Amino acid sequence: MDGEELTEQETALYDRQIRVWGADAQRRLSKSHILVCGLKGTVAEFCKNIVLAGVGSVTLVDDRVVTDESLPANFLILPHENHYNGKTLAEVCCDSLKEFNPMVHVAVETGDISTFGVEFFEKFDAVIISCCSLGKKKLINQKCRKLSKRVAFYTVECRGSCGEMFVDLQDYKYSKKKLEETIECQIEYPSFEEAISVPWRALPRRVSKLYFAMRVIEQFEDVEGRNPGETSIADRLGVLKLRKELCETNSLDESQIPDALLERLLTDTREFPPVCAIIGGILGQEVIKAISGKGDPLKNFFFFDAMDGKGLIEDISGPSTRS
Amino acid sequence: MASQEQLSAIKRAKVLMVGAGGIGCELLKTLALSGFQDIHIIDMDTIEVSNLNRQFLFRQSHVGQSKAKASTFTGILQAFSLVARDAVLRFRPNISITPYHANVKESRFNVDFFKEFDVVLNGLDNLDARRHVNRLCLAADIPLVESGTTGFLGQVTVHLKGKTECYECQPKPAPKTYPVCTITSTPSKFVHCIVWAKDLLFAKLFGDKNQENDLNVRSSDTANSSEHSEDVFECRKDEDIERYGRRIYDHVFGHNIEVALSNEETKDVLPEKQTKENGNKEKGCAADDVSAMVSLSLKNPQDIWNLVENSRVFLEALRLFFLKREKDIGNLTFDKDDQLAVEFVTAAANIRASSFGIPLHSLFEAKGIAGNIVHAVATTNAIIAGLIVIEAIKVLQKDNNNYRMTYCLEHPSRKLLLMPVEPYEPNRSCYVCSETPVSLEVNTQRSKLRDFVEKIIKAKLGMNFPLIMQGASILYEVGEDLEEDMVAIYAANLEKALSELPSPVTCGSVLTVEDLQQEFSCSINIKHREEFDEEKEPDGMLLSGWVEAPVDKDNNKPIGNDESTSNALPSGETLEGEKDDEIQETSEVVEAFTGKKRKLSEVSEVTAPDPSGPSSINQNKPKKLDIDDEADELIISDDWESLTKKKKL
């Protein structure tokens, strides 16, 4: 980088992780700015991870007021009423996160970020959103892509024992060492909208069923105007009907989106802490990789299902961006 | 969220966590969030700054003085288990967390203690303790969920007596050791220089003078052979420190320090140092904060010093030890948190490396090697903790068909970053859980009982408080309530050759060895052998049937990076030339991933999914893998292969 050394304090604190990714990467992390929107359990985990990793700053967006409902999977919220009474999720999480690493600047931003201009996003190196509608996801992704500066974009959703993560690094170039050589790599990522527009029948045969299931629920919420995460088992029939329609449109056999899977997703709507830890961990690693420029980033979806225990990567891209 | 049944099982459960460090913090948090209400934690460590990058329940304010400075510390050493508990109670005030700031090997943590729990979760960092807990869990018949992480790699395994492998069914690589001659005469890697600097030179100059030390074997033969080594290393009466330092330098490095220094600088080294010394740097400097780097204004631990700088550090560190830490001299052992010791060892290793054409390393790198530091990040620990809790919940529900071992990979294998595998059946030749006898080849007329106890029973078989019997005769035991005359007999027995014991041990003898605390018993068949190779079998004893990873040619005489019990994984050796590369050599953390019935010869010190995987995975599998057929063929990425190629015999 530009010759700025890590401080003695940073070297001591980050010793163990510098041994993983090097001092250079650590320096880049310390200059990075992350925007996080939607503070449920998984995102809380993610924030903890990047704060510990020593990013430059984390900006939190979530104007929802803390309620008893928010408590279960989010360890950043201390259950004392005085602590959270009347405060927003962002405010409460901000206070807790600051404690994990005083060297990281943690701040709150209020308002609906989908109304913010493109220049707002330019301040950041990575944007992570969760608990938001399909429309909002696409919109924010687009704003990130409009900038000349590359702003990494991630979404994450967890329902019960399952979790999904999406990555868009646009046109990503990085170098890595293979044996004795340094090789240059380049990966092109589709936007979220592009990815989910890939016709289902064009996808490889064994794509995770969880991908399709999440799309069905996502569509359902979009069409029915539901708040993200509010679809429940009561909507079972509606969801199954939508599945049928989507499968017909896409010439996909309905068995690719099993009833049992959909029902699980509709029943366990709340986050399951172990899954939050896992997805929050994977997301943390990905953001660290993208910012430090070290390590192969995943492209472009990651799924975890505690039922079978697999954590797998799916490349959902059109022919132009298929690896 | 978990189902109703799961929630009740969770609420009722009594869980024991052993180890509250990296994995421990994440695990405690996830257990608490998941609804566990009765958690016990055993951990003997106190908190250090380097823990804070991932052990998020701890704060800067919890850090006390380092362990090396314990003799003069003014801070309060905060115990992991206690602080972790307080931190979690802040967001889950109504659960019960019982901390034990203690070593899990203490006798109070016996089988009865373990029986109280529904499941035991290990977050340990050393092999010794893991084996100990494994045996207790087997004896108590309590399920054990084991785990480990290094950098981006991690794994979680489940162990149920009689149903799955125990932790010791699969070989665990032993700490790396090096032949004497490599260390003393023919080093070829930087780690050899570190071992020399740490275990020989540092030990000789600052450690116990009565300890045996191979330093006298010199690489060059130009020394005056009649000179006694004791004289050489002792600081002579009225000898000033600078002179002493130079004399030592000349002696160990086989060349004149003036020559080494004169190559680079025109200024004379010493006067410059003296003016600095007179300055403020030394004022108010507590003995524990002494640092050669500070006094020489070398700021960056990541810099690689040249020969002159290394020489200066060597001399300055030596001088500071004698000047400021005189009382420590004679009883120091190397501690990675002792800044001055690390500086000394780095400099000494580098100077030696330079003589042998081996690339020099920075203090940062040298510290990692000398201190067996395990590189670690919060994310891997968080992921592993999540996986542990998932398995723990299955265990509580006795969900026997769904237990899994899960590997967290750095590079995806067949799209998988988290790879679940069915646990294997117990290894029928495991001397721990299947009570298979082991065999020992030994010269029964020469080898003493003491050697047998130290090197075989304790070191290899991992028993801490053994009872050794032949038939009905007790040859040796340890215990608190032994009669004095028995203690005397056992003490005498230790010094006898095996064949001269009251109940003679000869070819064909069968010994029974037990550890009462671990409730573990093992049979050893004795075979007499006259000769042993001094280099390859320096102990003069060969144990077989004991499942150990095969040794490679370097693993002989026990001069090596010590595996002290408080250390992290054995052998944090960095692969040469790959300074900041992703995969470091790990040992037991990520195990070889192969079929169930492996022959010992197939076992390798592999830390990745076995490249010979596909065929051996499909064979011998007791049940069908709960994964797509596609996943049965693992494609191992290039990096793994290159790594494993380096590790094979």
Side-chain angles (χ1 to χ4, degrees), chain B residues 266-458:
Chain B
T266 52
K267 286 185 278 187
D268 188 8
V269 175
L270 291 179
E272 191 192 315
K273 265 181 14 200
Q274 272 161 0
T275 41
K276 279 192 191 150
E277 285 153 28
N278 293 334
N280 289 328
K281 278 197 173 90
E282 295 203 353
K283 282 191 185 145
C285 202
D288 313 309
D289 291 337
V290 212
S291 156
M293 277 175 72
V294 168
S295 77
L296 296 170
S297 295
L298 289 166
K299 296 215 160 56
N300 189 353
Q302 304 246 350
D303 282 337
I304 301 182
W305 306 323
N306 60 27
L307 183 58
V308 171
E309 287 164 330
N310 276 297
S311 303
R312 285 185 182 151
V313 172
F314 178 87
L315 291 174
E316 180 65 3
L318 189 78
R319 190 186 76 88
L320 288 172
F321 265 115
F322 277 88
L323 218 61
K324 299 272 179 181
R325 292 180 54 182
E326 210 181 342
K327 59 173 162 44
D328 289 339
I329 295 176
N331 21 319
L332 277 177
T333 40
F334 179 81
D335 182 332
K336 68 181 188 299
D337 297 311
D338 181 346
Q339 177 67 14
L340 198 58
V342 173
E343 290 170 351
F344 179 83
V345 167
T346 303
N350 274 330
I351 299 167
R352 183 170 177 81
S354 153
S355 323
F356 286 90
I358 298 170
L360 307 189
H361 286 60
S362 68
L363 180 112
F364 179 80
E365 290 161 332
K367 178 177 170 177
I369 300 169
N372 280 321
I373 294 179
V374 180
H375 47 298
V377 294
T379 49
T380 320
N381 289 336
I383 294 165
I384 292 303
L387 293 168
I388 294 171
V389 175
I390 291 172
E391 292 305 310
I393 295 174
K394 288 180 202 166
V395 163
L396 294 175
Q397 295 190 282
K398 305 207 190 325
D399 191 1
N400 288 341
N401 295 325
N402 285 320
Y403 301 132
R404 266 187 281 275
M405 310 205 287
T406 312
Y407 295 90
C408 177
L409 306 176
E410 185 175 356
H411 303 287
S413 175
R414 280 271 166 175
K415 304 194 300 184
L416 291 173
L417 274 182
L418 297 177
M419 185 190 293
V421 175
E422 265 195 43
Y424 303 122
E425 285 178 352
N427 178 354
R428 274 179 232 133
S429 324
C430 177
Y431 75 102
V432 178
C433 69
S434 301
E435 301 189 358
T436 307
V438 293
S439 297
L440 181 72
E441 285 172 60
V442 60
N443 185 318
T444 55
Q445 285 152 0
R446 268 211 308 263
S447 290
K448 296 187 193 161
L449 185 63
R450 169 185 292 288
D451 298 325
F452 176 69
V453 170
E454 294 303 319
K455 295 178 182 163
I456 301 296
I457 304 300
K458 289 188 179 169

Side-chain angles (χ1 to χ4, degrees), chain A residues 17 45 48 72 206 307 311, chain B residues 26 29 53 92 417 630:
Chain A
Q17 65 202 39
E45 283 278 342
K48 174 249 308 162
R206 284 181 183 276
M307 189 76 102
Chain B
E26 295 286 343
K29 172 255 303 165
N53 81 314
R92 279 292 180 277
L417 274 182
E630 193 180 85

Side-chain angles (χ1 to χ4, degrees), chain A residues 5 13 16-17 19 45 48 72 79 99-100 178 206 270-271 285 294 307 311-314, chain B residues 1 26 29 33 50 52-53 59 90 92 300 364 368 374 376 379 404 415 417-418 580 630 638:
Chain A
E5 306 290 6
L13 181 63
R16 298 297 184 268
Q17 65 202 39
R19 291 175 193 280
E45 283 278 342
K48 174 249 308 162
E99 283 187 28
F100 292 155
K178 203 162 180 178
R206 284 181 183 276
R270 297 211 299 186
E271 288 178 305
Q285 269 168 206
K294 258 198 128 97
M307 189 76 102
L312 62 81
I313 300 172
E314 292 288 3
Chain B
M1 209 52 196
E26 295 286 343
K29 172 255 303 165
L33 289 177
S50 61
L52 301 178
N53 81 314
R59 302 282 174 269
R90 290 176 74 205
R92 279 292 180 277
N300 189 353
F364 179 80
V374 180
T379 49
R404 266 187 281 275
K415 304 194 300 184
L417 274 182
L418 297 177
D580 58 352
E630 193 180 85
D638 283 345

Side-chain angles (χ1 to χ4, degrees), chain A residues 144-202:
Chain A
C144 292
R145 290 188 140 235
K146 281 202 181 112
L147 296 162
S148 51
K149 168 189 182 189
R150 186 174 55 80
V151 177
F153 174 82
Y154 302 83
T155 71
V156 65
E157 296 300 340
C158 288
R159 294 180 79 103
S161 39
C162 298
E164 172 187 82
M165 186 187 118
F166 168 78
V167 181
D168 176 11
L169 299 180
Q170 298 168 41
D171 187 8
Y172 185 67
K173 295 189 181 70
Y174 66 106
S175 55
K176 63 177 181 181
K177 266 203 291 197
K178 203 162 180 178
L179 299 176
E180 301 299 323
E181 293 179 352
T182 305
I183 54 178
E184 296 298 317
C185 307
Q186 178 172 7
I187 312 182
E188 274 201 54
Y189 286 76
S191 70
F192 188 75
E193 184 158 17
E194 284 165 357
I196 63 172
S197 307
V198 173
W200 290 357
R201 64 182 167 281

Side-chain angles (χ1 to χ4, degrees), chain A residues 75-86:
Chain A
F75 65 99
L76 298 177
I77 308 175
L78 308 181
H80 312 296
E81 284 238 5
N82 292 338
H83 185 249
Y84 71 76
N85 205 7

Side-chain angles (χ1 to χ4, degrees), chain B residues 467-631:
Chain B
L467 166 77
I468 306 174
M469 305 195 296
Q470 178 169 213
S473 302
I474 301 179
L475 298 172
Y476 180 77
E477 69 177 313
V478 220
E480 285 158 357
D481 46 0
L482 297 176
E483 288 165 18
E484 265 185 49
D485 49 352
M486 296 312 295
V487 174
I489 294 177
Y490 298 141
N493 282 352
L494 282 178
E495 303 313 320
K496 295 187 179 156
L498 295 173
S499 55
E500 285 161 18
L501 289 167
S503 169
V505 173
T506 55
C507 197
S509 289
V510 178
L511 298 180
T512 308
V513 191
E514 283 180 21
D515 183 313
L516 295 175
Q517 190 198 359
Q518 296 171 353
E519 288 195 15
F520 167 57
S521 146
C522 175
S523 288
I524 307 182
N525 297 323
I526 303 290
K527 296 181 189 161
H528 176 86
R529 209 213 312 169
E530 274 299 317
E531 293 303 326
F532 288 85
D533 184 319
E534 263 192 42
E535 281 291 328
K536 297 203 183 107
E537 298 157 330
D539 291 341
M541 293 181 277
L542 187 67
L543 194 66
S544 49
W546 162 61
V547 182
E548 184 198 22
V551 301
D552 64 273
K553 60 180 164 58
D554 274 347
N555 191 356
N556 296 309
K557 183 126 197 223
I559 290 188
N561 264 345
D562 259 356
E563 189 218 23
S564 66
T565 51
S566 63
N567 259 358
L569 299 175
S571 187
E573 181 192 358
T574 319
L575 298 171
E576 285 307 299
E578 291 177 24
K579 294 186 182 167
D580 58 352
D581 220 2
E582 325 92 87
I583 304 172
Q584 299 245 340
E585 181 188 347
T586 61
S587 47
E588 77 233 33
V589 171
V590 177
E591 298 163 33
F593 164 35
T594 63
K596 162 178 69 99
K597 290 173 192 153
R598 273 191 306 194
K599 293 176 259 193
L600 281 180
S601 56
E602 279 170 47
V603 160
S604 63
E605 219 181 321
V606 165
T607 60
D610 193 322
S612 71
S615 49
S616 44
I617 291 167
N618 288 328
Q619 284 168 20
N620 307 322
K621 261 236 148 318
K623 305 171 198 181
K624 191 178 180 311
L625 270 182
D626 185 24
I627 300 174
D628 289 348
D629 292 338
E630 193 180 85

